[in-house]
Amino acid sequence: MISLYAHGGSGNHGCEALVRATAKILNPLKCDCFSLNPLEDKKYSVNDIASIKESVVKHGTLTWFFWSVLCKLKISNPVKKIYYYFLKDSPDVALSIGGDNYCYDGFPESLAYMNSKLNKVGCKTVLWGCSVEPEILQNPEIVEDMNRYALITARESITYHALINAGVGNTRLFPDPAFQLDCVKLPLLDGFIEGNTVGINLSPMIIDNETADGVTYKNYENLIQYILDTTDMAVALIPHVVWEANDDRVPLRALYHAFQDTHRVVMIEDHNCMELKGYISRCRFFVGARTHSTIAAYSTCVPTLVVGYSVKAKGIAKDIFGTYDHYVLPVQSLKDPDELMHAFDWLMQNEVTIRTHLQQFMPSYCAKAMEAGNEVKQLVPGAVG
């Protein structure tokens, strides 16, 4: 049995995609998934492919009160309360599936704590499908933590080379597990023209990373107006995270209300990650902020423009196209309200070349994501041989 941890819940459909794809890659081995939000996982039926278990001690219980007192007295680390059931389980092999968790403030310290605790009880840990900002590897404590993992699978080459150059030798390079996510095609909404619709994803996280107030939303607004004015394509607004405090539907609905009277803009409501991939796969182009929405597009050979904020967007595009120029527009660099429009114009002009490259490149690239499972299986007693 393999345990998955650092899973925030399937309301982030990128997290959901990682659990689903990881279970597929590791088949026939079974997975326990320790979740921060099991109700979300059950809502999207993730419990059908992995055993969903609580990570968090339930608020108001005696156990919660006990650990709260210990944490307040600084007798125990708060992380232990959050991941109480997981750490108590002490699996043989544990995969941290958060992907880019090391890119966010506070997460490296929590992950390092769990990595250390698990290693002390003889558990083999894996940092699975990760991206790491190269700058944090200047911290010797981070490098020490990385070297505790029995295996690290980097999902793009910028992270891979940064880890190798920092002396983290337990690192392998494989595409993001979600390149193996299955695709489910539901009936299309009226107004969604298969093969002639631009899929658009916008996230509050991207807006939070902008350096000029309001410039991101204005760029999206101008892009949609440009598409409507100069092409016969429809526009589909596609959310990929629906957490209450980080909900793509909030900015997307604002865009929908701004253009609904054109009758050429449709709003896709919440679905599981495979169904969202089904919608994205039938787009002609895709403009996305969420990494796993763009992975759904890449893997189904849809020419894609990424509005990114971190190393993961650049690294994945570089590995697919040989460069991230023209394929990734860093949100931090947005100053002009028409930059996204100009970037999309380049994508349209190069549509045939890009789609042909994806059709030739993607089959072998997606297949490589499956190979990562062999590395993990070698760590599981009795799984190989």
Side-chain angles (χ1 to χ4, degrees), residues 63-74:
T63 305
W64 174 85
F65 179 76
F66 173 72
W67 282 105
S68 295
V69 171
L70 291 183
C71 294
K72 197 161 226 180
L73 296 174
K74 298 185 178 179

Side-chain angles (χ1 to χ4, degrees), residues 92-347:
D92 293 324
V93 177
L95 273 65
S96 175
I97 63 168
D100 56 356
N101 281 341
Y102 274 89
C103 296
Y104 303 122
D105 289 343
F107 280 86
E109 294 80 6
S110 298
L111 292 169
Y113 175 84
M114 287 188 284
N115 194 16
S116 176
K117 285 288 184 184
L118 290 166
N119 271 260
K120 283 179 181 177
V121 296
C123 175
K124 295 177 181 177
T125 54
V126 178
L127 184 56
W128 181 243
C130 74
S131 289
V132 176
E133 293 289 349
E135 292 76 15
I136 76 166
L137 295 172
Q138 296 173 12
N139 183 340
E141 292 181 358
I142 294 287
V143 174
E144 182 182 0
D145 171 44
M146 293 291 176
N147 276 308
R148 287 194 194 100
Y149 288 102
L151 170 69
I152 297 175
T153 63
R155 63 178 164 186
E156 33 78 16
S157 58
I158 295 177
T159 288
Y160 173 75
H161 290 301
L163 287 165
I164 293 296
N165 291 338
V168 183
N170 50 350
T171 306
R172 305 290 183 270
L173 176 61
F174 294 102
D176 188 291
F179 278 96
Q180 276 294 327
L181 180 69
D182 294 334
C183 182
V184 174
K185 294 183 179 180
L186 298 176
L188 292 173
L189 302 177
D190 290 342
F192 190 124
I193 307 169
E194 184 163 359
N196 201 37
T197 292
V198 181
I200 288 181
N201 168 257
L202 172 59
S203 76
M205 183 170 285
I206 285 293
I207 293 172
D208 288 344
N209 279 274
E210 68 186 10
T211 54
D213 287 348
V215 71
T216 307
Y217 183 86
K218 188 61 180 175
N219 263 271
Y220 271 82
E221 198 173 44
N222 287 358
L223 170 63
I224 293 172
Q225 190 65 61
Y226 177 71
I227 293 167
L228 298 178
D229 288 346
T230 63
T231 79
D232 63 353
M233 292 187 287
V235 173
L237 306 173
I238 305 176
H240 215 259
V241 173
V242 293
W243 281 338
E244 184 176 352
N246 192 5
D247 191 338
D248 295 355
R249 293 172 298 182
V250 173
L252 289 176
R253 280 180 179 150
L255 288 170
Y256 176 72
H257 292 312
F259 292 101
Q260 62 180 334
D261 290 343
T262 68
H263 303 292
R264 288 173 60 192
V265 178
V266 298
M267 177 80 186
I268 305 298
E269 291 299 334
D270 187 30
H271 293 272
N272 72 38
C273 61
M274 299 181 295
E275 294 164 349
L276 291 172
K277 183 172 182 175
Y279 286 113
I280 292 168
S281 72
R282 287 173 283 179
C283 293
R284 181 175 173 181
F285 298 100
F286 189 71
V287 179
R290 298 289 186 182
T291 298
H292 285 94
S293 73
T294 64
I295 287 174
Y298 286 143
S299 61
T300 52
C301 302
V302 177
T304 298
L305 175 62
V306 182
V307 184
Y309 65 91
S310 70
V311 63
K312 56 185 175 179
K314 291 180 178 179
I316 293 170
K318 180 177 179 291
D319 291 348
I320 294 172
F321 298 106
T323 179
Y324 52 77
D325 292 337
H326 295 297
Y327 299 100
V328 178
L329 187 61
V331 68
Q332 296 93 334
S333 72
L334 287 179
K335 298 291 187 294
D336 188 296
D338 290 330
E339 288 180 70
L340 187 56
M341 180 189 76
H342 295 312
F344 180 75
D345 196 48
W346 183 91
L347 197 74

